[in-house]
Amino acid sequence: METDVLGPPYERHTIDLGTDDEGAVVATLIRRRGDTPSRRAVLYVHGFVDYFFQTHLADFFVERGWDFYALDLRKYGRSLLAHQTPNFARSLTEYYPELDEAARIIREDDGHDQLLVAGHSTGGLITSLWSHSRHDQGIVDGLFLNSPFFDFNVPWLLRRPLMNVLGRTSGRNPYRVLPMSTLGLYGQSLHSDHRGEWTYDLAWKPLNGFPVRTGWLEAIRRGQARLRAGLAIDAPILVACSTRTFRGRSWHEDVRLSDSVLDVDHIVRWAPRLGPRVTIARFDGGMHDLTLSGKDVRTELFQELGRWVDAFVPPKGTPEIAVPPAPEDKADVGAP
């Protein structure tokens, strides 16, 4: 571990992932430990055109007795190398090695026996698929999904038939740039140099995003189709999103009060396909990244998240809730 760009108490560790068709590949695990040793840890995974900078999220967990970790995936943020295409992947399974290694470091090297995984947007889709693929290994104890990317926010004709056609052509030229709309309004709503309150590195999270390429689009499409077919995640899951979607093309104050990236109805529709224990929480006035919403929404989100964690991911050794005997059991006890 070395000191992270955020400064103390944040540390980072570079995970060597070998090479791909563009050259060397790495991921970056960021760590913030609490003042008191803990056996509980959170692993946060960012979204598309994103990286970890939300230190108030780490504050929330550390103050509740959790050690906090975040993973900048390959070709994102701290892990983006000069020779690489930003945020690109041909398959979402490409991210499994760094997730596996991050979980191993957290559990084996750093001695945690409880792991809550938190994923935002594309990170929510990736961590869902990864958690499903590792569901029988006791790695993930809980999953918190912040506006997960379960479907494309475009009309059905483009979302299904046309994307299927694009997917079939992606193998020939996976790096071809597609003329898709940018994230400009969302970027404006976040960054303090524009209409937002947050400061972050615009080289790693550009205002208008990075280009969307056919190979990445097909990777997302296949991952979403797998999720919609139904997963079997055996850990409790909290899916959180806004109550509203913003569909305008020019600036309006509603951008600050709604999800201007995804269709929130898609999130709610597909959340039950994750597994048998899914809780859905919606927040009026929430933005795409709920943790970057206005102060009142953030307060409500963290209160709800705290209650959910206490109920569904309690510390190891917490006594089970006492269940009263069923009527037939009482009858058996009283029988001669």
Coordinates of all heavy atoms in Angstrom, one line a residue, residues 252-284:
H252 N -32.2 22.2 -17.2 CA -33.4 22.5 -16.4 C -33.0 22.1 -14.9 O -32.3 21.2 -14.7 CB -34.6 21.7 -16.9 CG -35.9 22.2 -16.2 ND1 -36.3 21.8 -15.0 CD2 -36.9 23.0 -16.7 CE1 -37.4 22.4 -14.7 NE2 -37.8 23.1 -15.7
E253 N -33.6 22.8 -14.0 CA -33.3 22.6 -12.6 C -33.7 21.2 -12.2 O -33.1 20.6 -11.2 CB -33.9 23.6 -11.7 CG -33.2 24.9 -11.7 CD -31.8 24.8 -11.2 OE1 -31.5 24.3 -10.2 OE2 -30.9 25.3 -12.0
D254 N -34.6 20.5 -12.9 CA -35.0 19.1 -12.6 C -33.8 18.2 -12.8 O -33.9 17.0 -12.2 CB -36.1 18.7 -13.5 CG -37.4 19.3 -13.0 OD1 -37.5 19.9 -11.9 OD2 -38.4 19.1 -13.8
V255 N -32.7 18.6 -13.5 CA -31.6 17.7 -13.6 C -31.0 17.4 -12.2 O -30.5 16.3 -12.0 CB -30.5 18.3 -14.5 CG1 -29.2 17.5 -14.6 CG2 -31.0 18.5 -15.9
R256 N -31.1 18.4 -11.3 CA -30.6 18.2 -10.0 C -31.5 17.3 -9.1 O -31.1 16.9 -8.0 CB -30.4 19.5 -9.3 CG -29.6 20.6 -9.9 CD -29.6 21.8 -9.0 NE -29.2 23.0 -9.7 CZ -28.0 23.5 -9.8 NH1 -27.0 22.8 -9.3 NH2 -27.7 24.6 -10.4
L257 N -32.7 17.0 -9.6 CA -33.7 16.3 -8.8 C -34.1 15.0 -9.3 O -35.1 14.4 -8.9 CB -34.9 17.2 -8.6 CG -34.6 18.6 -8.0 CD1 -35.9 19.5 -8.1 CD2 -34.1 18.5 -6.5
S258 N -33.4 14.5 -10.3 CA -33.8 13.2 -11.0 C -32.6 12.5 -11.5 O -31.5 13.1 -11.6 CB -34.9 13.6 -12.1 OG -34.4 14.6 -12.9
D259 N -32.9 11.3 -12.0 CA -31.8 10.5 -12.7 C -31.8 11.0 -14.2 O -32.7 10.7 -14.9 CB -32.1 9.0 -12.6 CG -30.9 8.2 -13.0 OD1 -30.2 8.6 -13.9 OD2 -30.7 7.1 -12.4
S260 N -30.7 11.7 -14.6 CA -30.6 12.1 -15.9 C -29.8 11.2 -16.8 O -29.5 11.5 -18.0 CB -30.0 13.5 -16.0 OG -28.7 13.5 -15.3
V261 N -29.5 10.0 -16.3 CA -28.7 9.0 -17.0 C -29.5 7.8 -17.4 O -29.6 7.3 -18.5 CB -27.4 8.6 -16.2 CG1 -26.6 7.6 -17.0 CG2 -26.6 9.8 -16.0
L262 N -30.2 7.2 -16.4 CA -30.9 5.9 -16.6 C -32.4 6.1 -16.3 O -32.9 7.1 -15.7 CB -30.4 4.9 -15.6 CG -29.0 4.4 -15.7 CD1 -28.6 3.4 -14.7 CD2 -28.6 4.0 -17.1
D263 N -33.2 5.2 -16.9 CA -34.6 5.2 -16.6 C -34.9 4.4 -15.3 O -34.6 3.2 -15.2 CB -35.4 4.4 -17.8 CG -36.9 4.5 -17.7 OD1 -37.4 4.5 -16.5 OD2 -37.5 4.5 -18.7
V264 N -35.4 5.1 -14.3 CA -35.5 4.5 -13.0 C -36.5 3.4 -13.0 O -36.5 2.4 -12.2 CB -35.8 5.5 -11.9 CG1 -34.6 6.5 -11.7 CG2 -37.1 6.3 -12.2
D265 N -37.5 3.4 -13.9 CA -38.5 2.4 -14.0 C -37.9 1.0 -14.4 O -38.3 0.0 -14.0 CB -39.6 2.7 -14.9 CG -40.5 3.9 -14.3 OD1 -40.5 4.0 -13.1 OD2 -41.2 4.5 -15.1
H266 N -36.8 1.1 -15.2 CA -36.1 -0.1 -15.6 C -35.4 -0.7 -14.4 O -35.4 -1.9 -14.2 CB -35.0 0.2 -16.6 CG -35.5 0.6 -18.0 ND1 -34.7 1.3 -18.9 CD2 -36.7 0.5 -18.6 CE1 -35.4 1.5 -20.0 NE2 -36.7 1.1 -19.8
I267 N -34.8 0.1 -13.6 CA -34.2 -0.4 -12.4 C -35.1 -1.1 -11.5 O -34.9 -2.3 -11.0 CB -33.5 0.8 -11.6 CG1 -32.4 1.5 -12.4 CG2 -32.9 0.3 -10.3 CD1 -31.9 2.7 -11.8
V268 N -36.3 -0.5 -11.2 CA -37.3 -1.1 -10.4 C -37.9 -2.4 -11.0 O -38.1 -3.4 -10.3 CB -38.4 -0.1 -10.0 CG1 -39.5 -0.8 -9.3 CG2 -37.9 1.1 -9.3
R269 N -38.0 -2.4 -12.3 CA -38.6 -3.6 -13.0 C -37.7 -4.8 -12.9 O -38.2 -5.9 -12.7 CB -38.8 -3.2 -14.5 CG -39.3 -4.4 -15.3 CD -39.5 -4.0 -16.8 NE -40.0 -5.1 -17.5 CZ -40.2 -5.1 -18.8 NH1 -39.9 -4.0 -19.5 NH2 -40.7 -6.2 -19.5
W270 N -36.4 -4.6 -13.1 CA -35.5 -5.7 -13.2 C -34.8 -6.1 -11.8 O -34.2 -7.2 -11.7 CB -34.4 -5.5 -14.2 CG -34.9 -5.2 -15.6 CD1 -34.9 -4.1 -16.3 CD2 -35.7 -6.2 -16.4 NE1 -35.5 -4.2 -17.5 CE2 -36.0 -5.5 -17.6 CE3 -36.1 -7.5 -16.2 CZ2 -36.7 -6.1 -18.6 CZ3 -36.8 -8.1 -17.2 CH2 -37.1 -7.4 -18.4
A271 N -34.9 -5.3 -10.8 CA -34.3 -5.6 -9.5 C -34.7 -6.9 -9.0 O -33.8 -7.7 -8.4 CB -34.6 -4.5 -8.5
P272 N -36.0 -7.4 -9.0 CA -36.3 -8.7 -8.5 C -35.6 -9.9 -9.2 O -35.6 -11.0 -8.6 CB -37.8 -8.7 -8.7 CG -38.3 -7.3 -8.7 CD -37.2 -6.6 -9.4
R273 N -35.0 -9.7 -10.3 CA -34.3 -10.8 -11.0 C -33.0 -11.1 -10.4 O -32.3 -12.0 -10.8 CB -34.1 -10.4 -12.5 CG -35.4 -10.2 -13.3 CD -36.3 -11.4 -13.4 NE -37.5 -11.2 -14.1 CZ -37.7 -11.3 -15.4 NH1 -36.7 -11.7 -16.1 NH2 -38.9 -11.1 -15.9
L274 N -32.6 -10.3 -9.4 CA -31.2 -10.4 -8.8 C -31.1 -11.7 -7.9 O -30.1 -12.3 -7.9 CB -30.8 -9.2 -8.0 CG -30.6 -7.9 -8.8 CD1 -30.6 -6.7 -7.8 CD2 -29.3 -8.0 -9.6
G275 N -32.2 -11.9 -7.2 CA -32.2 -13.0 -6.2 C -33.4 -13.0 -5.4 O -34.3 -12.2 -5.6
P276 N -33.4 -13.9 -4.3 CA -34.7 -14.0 -3.5 C -34.9 -12.9 -2.4 O -35.9 -12.8 -1.9 CB -34.5 -15.4 -2.9 CG -33.0 -15.6 -2.8 CD -32.5 -14.9 -4.0
R277 N -33.8 -12.2 -2.1 CA -33.9 -11.2 -1.0 C -33.5 -9.8 -1.5 O -32.4 -9.4 -1.3 CB -33.1 -11.6 0.2 CG -33.6 -12.9 0.9 CD -32.7 -13.2 2.1 NE -31.4 -13.8 1.7 CZ -30.4 -13.9 2.5 NH1 -30.5 -13.5 3.8 NH2 -29.3 -14.4 2.1
V278 N -34.4 -9.1 -2.1 CA -34.2 -7.8 -2.7 C -35.1 -6.8 -2.0 O -36.3 -6.9 -2.0 CB -34.4 -7.8 -4.2 CG1 -34.1 -6.4 -4.8 CG2 -33.5 -8.8 -4.9
T279 N -34.5 -5.7 -1.5 CA -35.2 -4.5 -1.0 C -35.0 -3.4 -2.0 O -33.9 -3.1 -2.5 CB -34.6 -4.1 0.4 OG1 -34.7 -5.2 1.3 CG2 -35.4 -2.9 0.9
I280 N -36.1 -2.7 -2.3 CA -36.0 -1.6 -3.2 C -36.4 -0.3 -2.5 O -37.4 -0.2 -1.8 CB -37.0 -1.7 -4.4 CG1 -36.6 -3.0 -5.2 CG2 -37.0 -0.5 -5.3 CD1 -37.6 -3.3 -6.3
A281 N -35.5 0.7 -2.6 CA -35.7 2.0 -1.9 C -35.6 3.1 -2.9 O -34.6 3.2 -3.7 CB -34.7 2.2 -0.8
R282 N -36.6 4.0 -3.0 CA -36.6 5.1 -4.0 C -36.6 6.4 -3.3 O -37.2 6.6 -2.2 CB -37.8 5.0 -4.9 CG -37.9 3.6 -5.6 CD -39.0 3.5 -6.6 NE -38.7 4.4 -7.8 CZ -39.5 4.4 -8.9 NH1 -40.6 3.6 -8.9 NH2 -39.2 5.1 -9.9
F283 N -35.9 7.4 -3.8 CA -35.6 8.6 -3.1 C -36.1 9.8 -4.0 O -35.5 10.0 -5.1 CB -34.2 8.7 -2.8 CG -33.7 7.7 -1.8 CD1 -33.3 6.5 -2.3 CD2 -33.8 7.9 -0.4 CE1 -32.9 5.4 -1.4 CE2 -33.5 6.8 0.4 CZ -33.0 5.6 -0.1
D284 N -37.1 10.5 -3.6 CA -37.6 11.7 -4.3 C -36.5 12.8 -4.3 O -36.0 13.1 -3.3 CB -38.9 12.2 -3.7 CG -39.5 13.2 -4.5 OD1 -39.4 13.2 -5.8 OD2 -40.2 14.1 -4.0

